[in-house]
Amino acid sequence: MPEIGELAETDAVEQPAPARRRGEGRRGRRAEAGAPAIQQRPRQVRELLDRPTEPIDEEQVRAIDDAAMRVLEDIGIEFLHDTALDHLRRAGCTIEPGGTNVRMDRAFVREMVARAPSQFTIHARNPDHAVPVGGRYQSYVNVSSPPNCMDLDRGRRPGRREDFRDLLKLSQYFNCIHILGGYPVEPVDLHAGVRHLHCLRDKLVLTDKVMHAYSLGTERVVDAMEMVRIAFGLTEEEFAARPHMYTNINSSSPLKHDWPMLDGAMRLAERGQPVIITPFTLAGAMAPVTIAGAVVQQTAEALAAVALLEWIAPGAPVVMGTFTNNTDMRSGAPAFGTPEYVRATQMSGQMARFYGLPMRASNACAANIADGQAVWESMNSIWACMTAGANIVYHSAGWLEGGLTASYEKFILDIEQLQHMAELMQPVSFNAGELAMEAIREIGSGSNYFASAHTMARYRTAFYAPYVSDWSNFGQWEGAGAQTATERANGLWKQKLAEFTRPDLPTEAK
Amino acid sequence: MPEIGELAETDAVEQPAPARRRGEGRRGRRAEAGAPAIQQRPRQVRELLDRPTEPIDEEQVRAIDDAAMRVLEDIGIEFLHDTALDHLRRAGCTIEPGGTNVRMDRAFVREMVARAPSQFTIHARNPDHAVPVGGRYQSYVNVSSPPNCMDLDRGRRPGRREDFRDLLKLSQYFNCIHILGGYPVEPVDLHAGVRHLHCLRDKLVLTDKVMHAYSLGTERVVDAMEMVRIAFGLTEEEFAARPHMYTNINSSSPLKHDWPMLDGAMRLAERGQPVIITPFTLAGAMAPVTIAGAVVQQTAEALAAVALLEWIAPGAPVVMGTFTNNTDMRSGAPAFGTPEYVRATQMSGQMARFYGLPMRASNACAANIADGQAVWESMNSIWACMTAGANIVYHSAGWLEGGLTASYEKFILDIEQLQHMAELMQPVSFNAGELAMEAIREIGSGSNYFASAHTMARYRTAFYAPYVSDWSNFGQWEGAGAQTATERANGLWKQKLAEFTRPDLPTEAK
């Protein structure tokens, strides 16, 4: 593996601005651009306040658990990895000689699941960007892994490194993105053999948030952990002592875990790094057509991997992922942001809480462009994640077309929604002053509250100030160019990229 | 007041299609148009299944109640109507001689509120369109009262009778619209002196759903009740025996009820017809800048009117409305679909349940066009209504620009969202077959579920089939014209208007 420095020499990654310039902060740059600062929400990961929505009752939760256990006991899961099979054989699971089907009894599964922590923290290069996972915390991950990207100016096209970097910069810029997922777009102009090195280097240089490794081959996984360790300035012991990055694996539904995913998951778990396990259970395609049945299968596939990892590395931090959704039965394509997705996500939240595991879901949509459909599918997904109590929301900003495209404009539209959700994670202000009895007495029926002392003392911070929403009246809006929300988003991502300053590297910070 | 028949002669309202043609049902017309039938949700009003989201605790609910009672006891509400003042004076309220400020003590208010039914039914000309109000029921009202309308072809313009009728037809067509609100657009080409007669006649001819009367003058209210009575074929006693229509009144916040609204409300209540009371409490403008304070004021204003109506007509059906939202403090314009609206609506739901009153909220947005902003503001509003347990959702379809414009395309986009919500009001299917153990055993890890018996038996009805969403892949979507959701909505409203057949009039039905 080349050194990070060597990689740097081959690239045109922008250098940090001179120290004094950076010392002036963002205000200086904004003033130059003549654009007002956006009122970002604080970057802390917040806790959901509302009781989760639970569409099924306790008996039904137990019925799904029982069915999932029966799948694990009687039908079994394929593990296409010899080392994994060796481990599970030693753990007492039933595997025919030379076979790959693993049956595990529920007592073993429950014992292994009980080893997993219900909450942990993933640390980032910037200590302020550490992310708690579990409990009521909800954190947001940028879009992951689309092969294409899209914006209003350049249309839809295969991703390139320039796009990859642009989307990283936006992910770093916005406080409401807490975790960097997989590549926000696949940079196809980087040779596949070294792509992971360049990509992770870009991530480490352009961002200082929580890091991710793809479980797509031993070399990638090992290199990624090593690069993160070096960039964070850690010894091997320090790196393994607590979570500093994570991976996400998908089962190859139905009922199968493939080699690369298992290999990566085991390597991270052995070094104390978290693994999100997200079965790809599309109801009607790779899982039963019923939501209850698809959640049964999802649960069985997820618990099988949890059992393996907890056997290998007791106490390994794991997350139960859900991707259960319905299929468009006319085309076989996955649908997203549907009523079925809402219910599947909420039910998955119930199952994760039943097992005491943190939970991941997604802000997904099927729309081909950043239009109204993209927004309503995403809004249903985001509300599903909130009402389900999801701890990690993947693909939070920028995902389009069922994950085939990362959209610059959709990224910005999603940011507005994530900021709305962050706002809903602040308790309603409630004290004697907030009840406003004195103000109501003062104003009576004779006037309005615009200029009251009560209003003047609070109006600057009383309400969420929108980022993309335009609240001007029709005439003003028309006079200013009659832009749609998507067109405004186009201007905003350009402005944010122009404002971007990269974070300090650790050697500079020390 | 002219007879309904006289009005008919002056207009070009389309005649019903010949009986045989109508007897063939909609299928025949659709076949002609070559368009597939849309899979509408059943027209029954459904019950919300999920526990409401309650952002404040019981103590805080009591604090708002106490503050509202103090407003009523110590500060008072203006009632600008002599008859109302006479009633309240007789009821023992404190009113200075010649004054209009009414103070009422909490024991009186609680006694009056306790008279109101927690649930009732509003009947329609078509018995199948009766709407239960209260409990867990959630019904949807079309857009009400914008002066302008808008579509992609003709742009934004003052409403005309043609638009008024078009929007009525769409409201009649879609099962998920249960109640007709005020005019879906104000038809300014009808002379103001007789507009209400023509408008209500159009409503009675083109629709057979629940009817509304504006409380904007004695004549309008009396004429409306009389026309509905005649069109429904009822005697005066039959009309007054149960709800056959309703009105909505707004307080003139802060702390004032105006003459026309009070006059209409009293006239309807006296004849047993429901009154929705919706204070116009924009936080920071006509109400305190804090959400808690605005809800205090809203509660006081609503209960004051409830007390009056229950004094006059014990047991009168009333609904507690909420319109509390924040103001854009830069412009003074109302904002909609914000995080503050979500919380205000959920808190209002808590207050309505505390008093045992049905509750009304709205699907509101501030966007100037039917773009992404319109969708996310509406989605936040719709999810607010659902999580708040709102019984009646006003402006459910078609509202834009803070209520200044009715949009044909937005109407269609909203229908998709209302159908999503209706889907979420169906319990998750859950039985042995739904858990799909046999299917999971049959498919194992070797195949997929597309052709399984379990899928084949269920796939036609397993999932919500979207109406506006386009789930085709990018190439197909591009090849078919690359339409945005809003552009597709443009085609859909034209198709629905072309398919429209008016309902039978009662004389024909008998």
Side-chain angles (χ1 to χ4, degrees):
Chain A
M1 197 189 89
E3 293 295 300
I4 292 181
E6 280 181 57
L7 282 168
E9 287 168 28
T10 67
D11 311 324
V13 170
E14 49 274 74
Q15 294 304 305
R20 265 181 313 189
R21 174 74 172 278
R22 292 226 312 293
E24 293 163 11
R26 289 190 178 126
R27 188 184 302 271
R29 290 216 171 179
R30 282 210 199 86
E32 282 170 36
I38 84 153
Q39 199 177 327
Q40 286 210 53
R41 301 294 91 188
R43 61 185 164 193
Q44 284 75 25
V45 178
R46 290 192 180 166
E47 291 180 87
L48 296 166
L49 302 172
D50 302 322
R51 185 189 158 107
T53 299
E54 307 206 315
I56 57 174
D57 63 23
E58 204 179 306
E59 190 187 333
Q60 291 172 322
V61 168
R62 288 184 188 282
I64 288 180
D65 167 64
D66 177 66
M69 293 300 177
R70 282 192 285 147
V71 170
L72 293 171
E73 288 176 330
D74 302 340
I75 301 172
I77 306 283
E78 300 289 314
F79 281 80
L80 304 186
H81 194 291
D82 285 344
T83 310
L85 290 168
D86 289 343
H87 280 298
L88 291 168
R89 199 173 283 115
R90 276 197 296 280
C93 299
T94 304
I95 309 169
E96 298 295 320
T100 53
N101 179 278
V102 177
R103 284 179 288 141
M104 40 183 84
D105 70 56
R106 65 184 69 195
F108 168 70
V109 175
R110 292 203 198 291
E111 187 189 334
M112 293 302 107
V113 170
R115 290 180 174 180
S118 59
Q119 188 173 320
F120 55 86
T121 296
I122 314 182
H123 297 272
R125 188 151 64 74
N126 181 339
D128 292 342
H129 286 161
V131 171
V133 176
R136 306 298 334 263
Y137 288 106
Q138 183 166 83
S139 57
Y140 300 112
V141 188
N142 60 350
V143 58
S144 282
S145 311
N148 305 300
C149 64
M150 187 184 221
D151 61 64
L152 287 184
D153 306 302
R154 293 168 289 184
R156 181 178 183 268
R157 60 201 187 271
R160 298 178 67 83
R161 188 177 192 176
E162 181 193 353
D163 304 304
F164 172 83
R165 285 183 182 160
D166 282 349
L167 293 165
L168 284 183
K169 290 176 188 173
L170 294 176
S171 304
Q172 171 70 11
Y173 181 90
F174 287 106
N175 287 344
C176 55
I177 299 296
H178 305 107
I179 297 178
L180 296 164
Y183 308 159
V185 70
E186 193 76 27
V188 295
D189 54 341
L190 289 175
H191 189 280
V194 291
R195 188 182 299 163
H196 70 287
L197 301 174
H198 291 284
C199 285
L200 186 52
R201 185 185 168 283
D202 280 356
K203 273 194 185 182
L204 288 166
V205 168
L206 295 174
T207 79
D208 60 5
K209 297 184 178 179
V210 164
M211 292 286 144
H212 161 274
Y214 276 115
S215 286
L216 291 172
T218 305
E219 194 188 10
R220 286 209 214 182
V221 169
V222 171
D223 287 349
M225 285 195 283
E226 197 56 10
M227 285 175 75
V228 168
R229 186 188 68 73
I230 294 167
F232 284 32
L234 302 171
T235 66
E236 169 56 31
E237 290 65 36
E238 288 167 340
F239 176 78
R242 61 186 199 176
H244 289 101
M245 61 189 304
Y246 76 100
T247 192
N248 178 85
I249 66 168
N250 304 110
S251 50
S252 178
S253 304
L255 306 186
K256 191 186 294 172
H257 286 292
D258 278 337
W259 190 90
M261 295 284 177
L262 287 173
D263 194 70
M266 290 190 292
R267 287 180 193 278
L268 263 83
E270 283 166 349
R271 290 176 74 183
Q273 306 306 306
V275 179
I276 304 174
I277 302 147
T278 312
F280 197 63
T281 38
L282 294 172
M286 310 320 287
V289 74
T290 53
I291 294 302
V295 173
V296 166
Q297 186 181 312
Q298 167 186 283
T299 303
E301 291 177 5
L303 293 185
V306 171
L308 169 68
L309 298 176
E310 297 299 333
W311 170 260
I312 294 172
V318 294
V319 175
M320 200 170 189
T322 176
F323 215 79
T324 296
N325 203 349
N326 53 308
T327 306
D328 177 4
M329 297 310 286
R330 286 170 301 189
S331 67
F336 294 102
T338 61
E340 291 80 16
Y341 179 73
V342 172
R343 289 310 193 195
T345 305
Q346 292 167 338
M347 288 163 67
S348 299
Q350 292 184 262
M351 297 314 299
R353 288 188 292 280
F354 178 79
Y355 297 115
L357 297 172
M359 178 226 183
R360 170 222 145 158
S362 305
N363 171 12
C365 68
N368 286 303
I369 46 166
D371 66 347
Q373 179 183 337
V375 172
W376 75 64
E377 290 178 332
S378 267
M379 291 297 283
N380 276 337
S381 293
I382 289 170
W383 274 90
C385 289
M386 190 172 76
T387 54
N391 298 113
I392 295 180
V393 181
Y394 240 69
H395 309 301
S396 282
W399 153 305
L400 265 191
E401 206 193 324
L404 292 177
T405 290
S407 157
Y408 283 62
E409 286 85 17
K410 175 71 163 29
F411 196 106
I412 300 295
L413 300 184
D414 283 330
I415 291 293
E416 184 90 301
Q417 313 325 319
L418 301 183
Q419 295 201 149
H420 284 161
M421 292 297 137
E423 205 65 17
L424 290 174
M425 291 187 233
Q426 283 196 301
V428 174
S429 296
F430 210 101
N431 56 42
E434 308 297 316
L435 283 173
M437 279 306 293
E438 289 316 306
I440 294 173
R441 193 183 305 275
E442 174 199 336
I443 301 301
S445 61
S447 178
N448 63 55
Y449 285 77
F450 283 118
S452 75
H454 187 264
T455 300
M456 295 306 283
R458 291 170 176 80
Y459 79 95
R460 284 178 202 278
T461 56
F463 307 132
Y464 171 66
Y467 172 42
V468 193
S469 290
D470 184 329
W471 288 346
S472 54
N473 68 35
F474 191 87
Q476 292 165 337
W477 170 81
E478 202 172 34
Q483 288 190 312
T484 64
T486 309
E487 288 164 347
R488 290 196 296 279
N490 179 266
L492 288 165
W493 65 253
K494 290 173 187 166
Q495 186 190 349
K496 295 313 146 197
L497 287 181
E499 285 175 19
F500 179 79
T501 55
R502 40 168 271 206
D504 290 331
L505 277 171
T507 46
E508 301 164 355
K510 278 173 188 169
Chain B
M1 198 190 85
E3 295 294 302
I4 292 180
E6 280 181 55
L7 283 166
E9 288 167 29
T10 68
D11 310 323
V13 170
E14 49 273 74
Q15 294 304 306
R20 264 182 312 187
R21 173 71 172 279
R22 291 227 311 295
E24 294 164 8
R26 287 188 179 129
R27 188 184 302 272
R29 288 215 170 181
R30 282 212 199 86
E32 283 169 37
I38 83 152
Q39 199 177 325
Q40 286 210 53
R41 301 293 92 189
R43 62 185 165 194
Q44 283 76 24
V45 178
R46 290 193 180 164
E47 291 180 88
L48 295 166
L49 301 173
D50 301 323
R51 185 189 158 106
T53 299
E54 307 205 316
I56 58 174
D57 63 23
E58 204 180 307
E59 190 186 333
Q60 292 171 323
V61 168
R62 289 184 187 283
I64 289 181
D65 167 64
D66 178 67
M69 293 299 177
R70 283 191 286 148
V71 171
L72 293 171
E73 287 175 332
D74 302 340
I75 301 172
I77 306 284
E78 300 290 314
F79 282 81
L80 305 187
H81 193 292
D82 286 343
T83 310
L85 291 167
D86 289 344
H87 281 297
L88 291 168
R89 198 174 282 114
R90 277 197 296 280
C93 298
T94 305
I95 309 168
E96 298 295 320
T100 53
N101 178 280
V102 178
R103 284 178 288 141
M104 40 182 85
D105 70 55
R106 64 184 71 195
F108 167 71
V109 175
R110 293 204 198 289
E111 188 189 334
M112 293 301 106
V113 170
R115 290 180 175 179
S118 59
Q119 188 174 319
F120 55 85
T121 297
I122 314 182
H123 297 271
R125 188 152 64 73
N126 180 341
D128 292 342
H129 286 161
V131 172
V133 176
R136 306 297 334 262
Y137 288 106
Q138 183 166 83
S139 56
Y140 300 112
V141 188
N142 59 350
V143 59
S144 282
S145 311
N148 305 299
C149 62
M150 186 184 223
D151 61 64
L152 287 184
D153 306 303
R154 294 168 289 184
R156 181 178 183 269
R157 60 200 187 272
R160 299 177 66 82
R161 189 178 193 177
E162 180 193 356
D163 303 304
F164 172 85
R165 286 183 180 160
D166 282 348
L167 292 165
L168 284 184
K169 291 176 188 174
L170 294 176
S171 304
Q172 172 71 10
Y173 181 89
F174 287 106
N175 286 344
C176 54
I177 300 296
H178 305 107
I179 297 177
L180 296 164
Y183 307 160
V185 69
E186 193 76 27
V188 295
D189 54 341
L190 289 174
H191 189 280
V194 291
R195 188 181 298 163
H196 70 287
L197 302 174
H198 291 284
C199 284
L200 186 51
R201 185 185 168 283
D202 280 355
K203 273 193 185 182
L204 289 166
V205 168
L206 294 175
T207 78
D208 60 5
K209 297 184 177 179
V210 164
M211 292 287 143
H212 161 274
Y214 277 115
S215 284
L216 292 172
T218 306
E219 194 188 8
R220 285 210 215 182
V221 170
V222 171
D223 287 351
M225 285 195 283
E226 197 57 8
M227 285 175 76
V228 168
R229 187 188 67 72
I230 294 168
F232 283 32
L234 303 171
T235 66
E236 169 57 29
E237 291 65 35
E238 288 168 340
F239 177 78
R242 60 185 199 177
H244 289 100
M245 60 190 304
Y246 75 101
T247 191
N248 178 84
I249 66 168
N250 303 110
S251 49
S252 178
S253 306
L255 307 185
K256 192 186 296 171
H257 286 291
D258 278 338
W259 190 91
M261 294 285 178
L262 287 172
D263 194 71
M266 291 189 293
R267 288 179 193 279
L268 262 82
E270 282 166 349
R271 289 177 75 183
Q273 306 305 307
V275 178
I276 304 174
I277 303 147
T278 311
F280 198 61
T281 38
L282 293 172
M286 311 319 287
V289 74
T290 52
I291 294 302
V295 173
V296 166
Q297 186 181 313
Q298 167 186 283
T299 303
E301 291 177 5
L303 293 185
V306 171
L308 168 68
L309 298 176
E310 296 299 334
W311 171 260
I312 295 172
V318 295
V319 175
M320 198 169 192
T322 177
F323 214 78
T324 295
N325 203 349
N326 53 308
T327 306
D328 176 5
M329 296 311 285
R330 288 170 300 190
S331 68
F336 294 102
T338 62
E340 291 80 16
Y341 179 73
V342 172
R343 289 309 192 196
T345 306
Q346 291 168 338
M347 289 163 66
S348 299
Q350 292 184 263
M351 297 314 299
R353 287 189 292 280
F354 179 79
Y355 297 114
L357 296 172
M359 178 227 184
R360 170 222 144 157
S362 304
N363 171 12
C365 68
N368 286 304
I369 45 164
D371 66 348
Q373 179 183 336
V375 172
W376 76 63
E377 290 176 333
S378 267
M379 291 296 283
N380 276 337
S381 294
I382 289 172
W383 274 91
C385 290
M386 191 171 78
T387 54
N391 299 113
I392 294 179
V393 181
Y394 240 68
H395 309 302
S396 282
W399 153 305
L400 265 191
E401 205 193 325
L404 292 177
T405 290
S407 157
Y408 284 62
E409 285 85 17
K410 175 72 164 28
F411 196 105
I412 299 294
L413 300 184
D414 283 331
I415 292 292
E416 183 89 300
Q417 314 323 320
L418 301 183
Q419 296 202 148
H420 284 161
M421 292 297 137
E423 204 65 17
L424 290 174
M425 291 186 232
Q426 283 196 302
V428 174
S429 297
F430 211 101
N431 56 42
E434 307 299 315
L435 283 174
M437 281 304 293
E438 288 316 305
I440 294 174
R441 194 183 304 276
E442 173 199 335
I443 302 299
S445 61
S447 179
N448 63 56
Y449 286 77
F450 283 118
S452 76
H454 187 263
T455 301
M456 295 306 283
R458 291 168 174 83
Y459 79 95
R460 283 178 202 279
T461 57
F463 307 132
Y464 171 65
Y467 172 42
V468 194
S469 290
D470 184 329
W471 288 345
S472 54
N473 68 34
F474 191 85
Q476 292 165 337
W477 170 82
E478 203 172 32
Q483 288 191 313
T484 65
T486 309
E487 288 164 347
R488 289 196 297 278
N490 178 267
L492 288 165
W493 66 254
K494 290 174 187 166
Q495 185 190 349
K496 295 311 145 198
L497 287 181
E499 285 175 19
F500 180 79
T501 55
R502 38 168 273 205
D504 290 331
L505 277 171
T507 46
E508 302 164 353
K510 277 172 187 170

